[in-house]
């Protein structure tokens, strides 16, 4: 068995690296650069029941070591994703994690029910954390009761395991994590973007047409690491970590914090080869660290038995 | 489209804050078309994080040279302007859909209209059109004399009229006042208000506009740079400036 192979609910991953939702479209653009089969999985663009145009432009603004986006869940809608995007992706031997979004619980249920039947969709990522839409999104992910309700409703109809994507824009992320676990979530993905804003000095107004947007990129990595470190000690479901991952070293840090797999978001925009480069670099890094299998690293930053082991080395 | 680690061959300040960079890489060839762009990583590390879209000003496919002209105004372009020959520049390209050069031939006439940092892509276009026997005329608008560039270079292909907003050089006012209507094609690149003013220009065979928009990935994946489609009542149709454009026929997208 490969030292990068990971088994998670619904997912047999060749390696723990996957592009994050919203940063990879449905894979077509990146397939011009490399074979998508190399990836552990692909988290495809959020899908809503009806097509969405999204927010007005400008939709992105750069920040120090990061970027703000307010795309607004633009996507072609469930029908087209089922009939065109997922069948196109099925030419590749790679599990798809379908990101499910909506404005109401009924929306989420409708998308989850249908998209979970696609043969290459091996898991759902329940998007209750998008900061860029007026209804739904973040509103579901910041209130424990609604987070519970939507998770349970989606679990009831999904044919595949459900991972819930958590928002960092909360006072107590552990509380939300526990609540969705109790609602039946099979795993967590974290973190979505942090709410932020930039203002144009010339106009005196926000750069993004939407005003605020979601902050991503290396700037948010320490926030994600801290939150995964906290949450992974309090839940027993696996975590797919994300936020500012650019290198194999970043991936190791996520595992040490408590992640079982890692997604790459903004870095795809900077270097389209980020995912394959990380996958190639990981075994070398594991050798350097004296680690046989990458999964041994999950949670080492807080596991007591690891303290004992490391002191006996 | 591919990722290229090109070598900076020369870097010249050609006007106030305006730089001309020439890079070499063996993959730079005739796949690079007028109106396309390259996505340039400025500086090392993650600040600034994103690439900068820079238009293709000229390509010498035999010598594998690419010329880019950019304005150093933000952190990224300032870092780029500090690079010296011999340095390595990481770029993705060629990206996007350029001007439909192949549609034109001997006997056709064309206006090439540029505004500010929208002027550079018209240089390669002008050369390629001239090669095909097209008669070209240029009108280039700038804010002020200090930022005027490439006037003599364009004159090699056809007459050049320069306008400045403050009247410090050439004709005072905007490019739109300098155009007569008796022409087959009009090609324009510049600020959106200028493109709007040219959108319904009555060229006999076609008007093509090159758009500018804040971009993320530059390859069509992130949906940062979308625009609406004219006449689409659903409001859902879109084009991506980076991969469907940046050049569009006038009337295709909402400016």
């Amino acid at each position: 068995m490969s030292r990068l192979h990971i088994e998670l609910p619904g997912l047999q991953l060749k390696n723990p690296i996957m592009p994050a939702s919203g940063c990879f479209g449905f894979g077509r653009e990146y397939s011009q650069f490399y074979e998508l089969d190399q990836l552990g999985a692909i988290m495809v663009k959020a899908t809503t029941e009806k097509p969405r145009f999204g927010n007005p432009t400008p939709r992105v603004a750069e920040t120090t070591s990061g970027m703000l986006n307010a795309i607004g869940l633009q996507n072609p809608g469930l029908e087209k994703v089922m009939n065109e995007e997922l069948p196109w992706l099925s030419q590749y031997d790679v599990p798809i994690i379908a990101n499910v979004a909506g404005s109401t619980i009924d929306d989420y249920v409708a998308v989850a029910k249908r998209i979970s039947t696609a043969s290459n969709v091996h898991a759902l990522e329940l998007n209750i954390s998008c900061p860029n839409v007026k209804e739904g999104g973040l509103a579901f992910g910041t209130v424990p009761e609604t987070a519970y309700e939507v998770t349970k409703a989606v679990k009831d109809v999904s044919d595949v395991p459900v991972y819930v994507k958590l928002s960092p824009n909360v006072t107590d992320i552990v509380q939300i994590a526990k609540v969705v676990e109790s609602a039946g979530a099979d795993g967590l993905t974290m973190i979505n973007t942090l709410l932020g804003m930039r203002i144009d000095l010339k106009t005196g107004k926000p750069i993004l047409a939407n005003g605020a947007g979601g902050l991503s990129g290396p700037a948010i990595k320490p926030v994600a690491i801290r939150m995964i470190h906290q949450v992974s000690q309090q839940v027993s479901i696996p975590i797919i970590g994300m936020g500012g991952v650019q290198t194999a070293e970043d991936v190791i840090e996520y595992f040490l914090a408590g992640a079982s797999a890692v997604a790459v978001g903004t870095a795809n925009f900077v270097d389209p080869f980020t995912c394959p480069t990380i996958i190639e670099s990981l075994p070398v890094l594991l050798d350097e660290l004296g680690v046989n299998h990458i999964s041994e690293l999950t949670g080492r930053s807080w596991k007591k038995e690891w303290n004992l082991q490391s002191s006996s080395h | 489209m591919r990722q290229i680690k090109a070598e900076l061959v020369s870097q010249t300040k050609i006007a106030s804050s305006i730089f001309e960079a020439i890079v070499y890489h063996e993959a730079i060839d005739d796949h690079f078309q007028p109106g396309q762009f390259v996505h340039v990583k400025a500086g090392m590390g993650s600040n600034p994080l994103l690439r900068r879209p820079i238009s293709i000003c000229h390509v010498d496919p035999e010598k594998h040279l690419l010329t880019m002209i950019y304005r150093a105004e933000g952190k990224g372009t300032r870092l780029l302007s500090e690079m010296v020959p011999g340095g390595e520049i990481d770029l993705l390209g060629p990206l996007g859909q350029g001007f439909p050069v192949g549609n034109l031939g001997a006997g056709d006439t064309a206006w090439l209209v540029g505004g500010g940092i929208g002027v550079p892509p018209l240089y390669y276009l002008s050369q390629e059109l001239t090669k095909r026997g097209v008669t070209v005329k240029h009108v280039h608008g700038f804010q002020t004399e200090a930022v005027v560039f490439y006037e003599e270079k364009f004159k090699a292909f056809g007459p050049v009229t320069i306008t400045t907003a403050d009247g410090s050089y050439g004709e005072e006012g905007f490019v739109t006042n300098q155009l007569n209507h008796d022409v087959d094609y009009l090609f324009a690149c510049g600020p959106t208000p200028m493109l709007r003013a040219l959108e319904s220009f009555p060229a006999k065979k076609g008007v093509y506009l090159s758009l500018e928009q804040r971009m993320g990935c530059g390859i069509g994946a992130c949906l940062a740079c979308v625009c609406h489609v004219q006449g689409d009542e659903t409001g859902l149709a879109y084009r991506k400036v980076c991969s469907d454009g940046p050049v569009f026929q006038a009337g295709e997208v909402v400016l």
Side-chain angles (χ1 to χ4, degrees):
Chain A
M1 183 81 38
S2 152
R3 61 202 299 206
L4 296 181
H5 182 269
I6 299 276
E7 227 179 291
L8 295 175
L11 300 166
Q12 293 284 340
L13 308 175
K14 290 186 270 281
N15 61 68
I17 305 305
M18 60 192 83
S21 179
C23 301
F24 207 72
F26 291 90
R28 290 178 193 266
E29 293 77 17
Y30 289 89
S31 72
Q32 302 170 81
F33 291 101
Y34 60 87
E35 291 296 327
L36 303 183
D37 311 78
Q38 300 172 50
L39 299 166
I42 298 175
M43 296 170 137
V44 292
K45 177 91 179 131
T47 301
T48 51
E49 193 177 8
K50 299 275 181 293
R52 283 179 61 94
F53 181 83
N55 290 324
T57 56
R59 292 177 170 185
V60 295
E62 208 169 16
T63 66
T64 305
S65 296
M67 69 177 278
L68 291 165
N69 89 80
I71 307 294
L73 296 181
Q74 179 163 19
N75 79 95
L78 180 59
E79 205 57 40
K80 203 168 171 196
V81 171
M82 289 298 290
N83 295 331
E84 293 176 29
E85 302 300 345
L86 292 172
W88 181 84
L89 275 164
S90 70
Q91 67 183 293
Y92 298 102
D93 175 27
V94 59
I96 304 301
I97 301 174
N99 187 294
V100 172
S103 307
T104 64
I105 290 186
D106 288 347
D107 289 348
Y108 281 99
V109 166
V111 177
K113 194 172 178 177
R114 179 108 188 274
I115 211 165
S116 67
T117 63
S119 60
N120 52 342
V121 169
H122 293 210
L124 301 186
E125 182 180 45
L126 188 57
N127 187 351
I128 56 168
S129 45
C130 175
N132 296 323
V133 290
K134 284 197 184 71
E135 296 165 328
L138 191 55
F140 284 97
T142 50
V143 181
E145 291 76 18
T146 50
Y148 179 91
E149 220 178 314
V150 69
T151 304
K152 188 151 183 9
V154 164
K155 263 302 285 181
D156 284 347
V157 298
S158 177
D159 282 4
V160 296
V162 175
Y163 293 70
V164 179
K165 189 165 190 174
L166 300 186
S167 170
N169 302 301
V170 293
T171 314
D172 183 359
I173 196 164
V174 171
Q175 183 192 14
I176 302 277
K178 282 179 157 174
V179 159
V180 299
E181 182 183 34
S182 72
D186 299 282
L188 302 171
T189 68
M190 57 190 286
I191 56 175
N192 206 322
T193 54
L194 286 148
L195 266 175
M197 182 182 282
R198 272 203 65 200
I199 294 172
D200 186 321
L201 297 192
K202 283 179 195 153
T203 64
K205 304 287 181 196
I207 293 175
L208 297 176
N210 192 49
L215 180 64
S216 64
I220 73 165
K221 198 186 84 181
V223 179
I225 294 288
R226 185 270 291 178
M227 288 183 160
I228 291 167
H229 181 267
Q230 268 185 312
V231 169
S232 60
Q233 298 180 64
Q234 300 289 327
V235 298
S236 50
I237 49 178
I239 296 171
I240 302 175
M242 61 195 66
V245 174
Q246 293 184 298
T247 64
E249 284 80 2
D250 294 334
V251 171
I252 299 297
E253 197 176 342
Y254 268 87
F255 270 80
L256 294 171
S260 298
V262 170
V264 176
T266 304
N268 291 298
F269 303 156
V270 181
D271 176 0
F273 293 99
T274 304
C275 288
T277 303
I278 289 176
I279 293 164
E280 204 179 315
S281 314
L282 274 173
V284 183
L285 193 53
L286 291 182
D287 285 343
E288 283 174 19
L289 295 167
V291 173
N292 180 36
H293 196 283
I294 191 163
S295 60
E296 294 165 27
L297 294 171
T298 299
R300 268 196 189 176
S301 62
W302 50 261
K303 279 182 181 163
K304 288 198 179 69
E305 62 270 28
W306 172 244
N307 289 338
L308 295 170
Q309 277 176 26
S310 64
S311 58
S312 67
H313 269 220
Chain B
M1 179 225 302
R2 55 178 289 186
Q3 187 177 25
I4 291 169
K5 304 284 173 74
E7 180 194 340
L8 181 62
V9 175
S10 76
Q11 170 107 268
T12 317
K13 189 173 181 182
I14 56 172
S16 177
S17 300
I18 308 287
F19 291 82
E20 176 201 67
I22 301 177
V23 300
Y24 166 85
H25 190 281
E26 57 185 14
I28 294 169
D29 57 19
D30 52 15
H31 287 98
F32 288 66
Q33 293 294 311
Q36 291 186 297
F37 69 98
V38 290
H39 217 21
V40 181
K41 179 87 179 89
M44 306 293 284
S46 59
N47 189 31
L49 183 63
L50 298 174
R51 290 170 181 268
R52 270 65 193 150
I54 299 180
S55 64
I56 294 170
C57 171
H58 187 252
V59 169
D60 185 332
E62 276 80 42
K63 292 182 180 158
H64 307 296
L65 296 174
L66 162 70
T67 305
M68 304 177 279
I69 292 179
Y70 60 94
R71 182 167 53 212
E73 54 182 344
K75 184 177 168 82
T77 41
R78 275 203 308 275
L79 277 172
L80 204 57
S81 72
E82 286 160 10
M83 288 189 66
V84 294
E88 186 184 89
I89 299 187
D90 173 350
L91 51 90
L92 287 181
L95 299 178
Q97 311 299 321
F99 295 106
V101 176
N103 295 356
L104 283 75
D108 279 331
T109 56
W111 273 121
L112 274 55
V113 185
I117 206 63
V119 168
L122 301 176
Y123 183 66
Y124 193 25
L125 175 66
S126 191
Q127 176 190 296
E128 293 305 296
L129 291 178
T130 308
K131 265 191 203 165
R132 302 180 71 87
V134 178
T135 302
V136 298
K137 291 184 287 184
H138 314 90
V139 183
H140 297 161
F142 298 93
Q143 277 302 317
T144 186
E145 183 178 11
V147 292
V148 175
F149 60 88
Y150 261 45
E151 182 181 6
E152 290 306 313
K153 288 253 200 186
F154 273 96
K155 277 184 182 165
F157 305 125
V160 179
T161 305
I162 303 287
T163 68
T164 49
D166 64 0
S168 56
Y169 189 83
E171 307 292 326
E172 181 170 352
F174 296 110
V175 292
T176 38
N177 302 330
Q178 304 299 323
L179 303 167
N180 61 43
H181 290 174
D182 186 26
V183 71
D184 296 316
Y185 289 91
L186 181 139
F187 301 100
C189 182
T192 305
M194 184 191 100
L195 300 182
R196 279 199 196 107
L198 295 169
E199 199 177 7
S200 48
F201 187 85
K204 293 186 200 105
K205 296 184 181 172
V207 173
Y208 292 86
L209 309 172
S210 181
L211 274 61
E212 226 184 20
Q213 182 57 266
R214 277 175 188 268
M215 290 180 189
C217 67
I219 60 172
C222 75
L223 303 179
C225 64
V226 299
C227 48
H228 284 284
V229 174
Q230 286 197 18
D232 163 49
E233 283 170 11
T234 67
L236 293 168
Y238 65 93
R239 298 285 183 274
K240 305 170 193 174
V241 173
C242 68
S243 56
D244 297 320
V247 176
F248 295 97
Q249 185 157 19
E252 184 180 354
V253 298
V254 178
L255 296 175

